[in-house]
Amino acid sequence: MSEKNREGKRTARERLAVEREKQKAAERRRRTLIVGASVVCVLGLAAVIGVVAANSGKDEDSAKSGPVVAPSGAQGKDALAIPAGKDDARATLTVWEDFRCPACKAFETAYRPTIHELTDAGKLRVEYHLATLIDGNMGGSGSRNAANAAACAQDAGKFTAYHDVLYQNQPEETDDSFSENSKLIELAGKVDGLDTPAFRACVEKGTHTSWVVKSNQAFQSGGFGGTPTVLFNGKNIYQDQTMTPAKFKQMVEEANQG
């Protein structure tokens, strides 16, 4: 082989090696961006914990005028969990969420079909816990009022459907339109049979507001890093970068076989 040909092959190998390094670097940057975005969400939430606590205190003060009224069928410690699915399901998913939280909406959008499939099949039970983190972060009362409205929907046996409607119509994080009872009642019109005088009265009176405040206090004292916090049989799967709806479904299937 001539020196020229050897030089040409060496140059080609070097170009290939350089290209591979570029690809690896791009992949590292992509992963860093993904992880970085997650860390920013967590750190951002941690940074406002003082504001959250302060606002929670205001909520608590405003709620002292009425008793803590849990929604119908609420379960768990202090009746702070709204259940979905069959009680005897062998797999349990615990979700701490905020209806104003964009990350919660992203989780719901990705996992909703799988969660519905598994709960409908009797294989999964979900326990929803409601928090008001974004109210403390961005100001306003949309998280609290939406949570109260969702609890009112639970009274009517329509929690899951209304829960989904709230996320499907979630405003921008800086938009506190969920603080308006008229908006929450308008969205109830998207759920068959929910917009009734009883539901409207529950929303307008803030029947479950004190319960929402208590739920948020449980979230704060639980030491969770942010919303959503998603626990499968006690393990935080939201922090698992490799988790997908398909992988989650497989985990539930395996739990039902065990």
Side-chain angles (χ1 to χ4, degrees):
M1 180 181 294
S2 67
E3 184 65 27
K4 182 177 181 181
N5 286 339
R6 282 196 296 271
E7 181 64 26
K9 288 190 175 184
R10 184 165 57 250
T11 302
R13 286 195 299 270
E14 291 173 350
R15 285 199 301 268
L16 182 59
V18 170
E19 184 61 29
R20 286 175 177 168
E21 283 301 315
K22 287 182 179 179
Q23 291 175 356
K24 289 180 181 179
E27 178 64 16
R28 285 194 296 270
R29 285 195 299 271
R30 185 186 70 82
R31 291 177 179 174
T32 300
L33 286 173
I34 292 173
V35 174
S38 300
V39 171
V40 167
C41 289
V42 174
L43 292 179
L45 294 170
V48 301
I49 193 168
V51 178
V52 172
N55 278 274
S56 295
K58 293 176 184 177
D59 285 346
E60 185 178 2
D61 291 340
S62 67
K64 285 180 179 177
S65 58
V68 175
V69 180
S72 176
Q75 299 177 357
K77 183 180 179 181
D78 296 328
L80 295 178
I82 295 179
K86 295 182 178 180
D87 288 343
D88 61 355
R90 300 184 69 175
T92 300
L93 187 71
T94 302
V95 181
W96 290 86
E97 61 182 2
D98 181 331
F99 289 112
R100 287 182 70 186
C101 165
C104 296
K105 178 180 179 179
F107 171 78
E108 284 294 327
T109 300
Y111 284 82
R112 181 185 301 120
T114 302
I115 290 175
H116 284 337
E117 176 188 346
L118 294 169
T119 54
D120 290 345
K123 297 179 179 180
L124 178 68
R125 165 188 165 83
V126 185
E127 295 181 350
Y128 291 100
H129 294 262
L130 308 183
T132 60
L133 192 63
I134 305 302
D135 284 356
N137 187 353
M138 306 302 297
S141 58
S143 299
R144 184 187 65 193
N145 289 5
N148 172 68
C152 294
Q154 170 67 10
D155 288 340
K158 308 274 186 183
F159 172 81
T160 300
Y162 189 62
H163 167 277
D164 294 350
V165 165
L166 287 175
Y167 279 118
Q168 289 163 354
N169 294 272
Q170 185 188 75
E172 293 294 322
E173 190 176 10
T174 54
D175 180 351
D176 194 31
S177 61
F178 276 178
S179 66
E180 302 169 9
N181 289 335
S182 59
K183 178 65 174 178
L184 298 169
I185 291 171
E186 174 192 334
L187 291 176
K190 297 179 179 292
V191 178
D192 290 342
L194 179 57
D195 186 5
T196 63
F199 174 80
R200 288 183 174 227
C202 183
V203 171
E204 291 169 350
K205 292 178 181 178
T207 299
H208 300 297
T209 296
S210 296
W211 175 84
V212 172
V213 170
K214 190 169 185 177
S215 178
N216 187 63
Q217 289 171 342
F219 170 76
Q220 294 291 337
S221 62
F224 303 116
T227 54
T229 292
V230 185
L231 309 174
F232 178 66
N233 289 343
K235 178 183 177 182
N236 192 337
I237 64 171
Y238 187 71
Q239 293 179 342
D240 184 349
Q241 298 275 335
T242 68
M243 187 58 60
T244 64
K247 181 177 178 179
F248 172 65
K249 181 178 179 180
Q250 182 180 356
M251 292 168 66
V252 172
E253 296 286 0
E254 289 174 354
N256 278 270
Q257 293 172 3

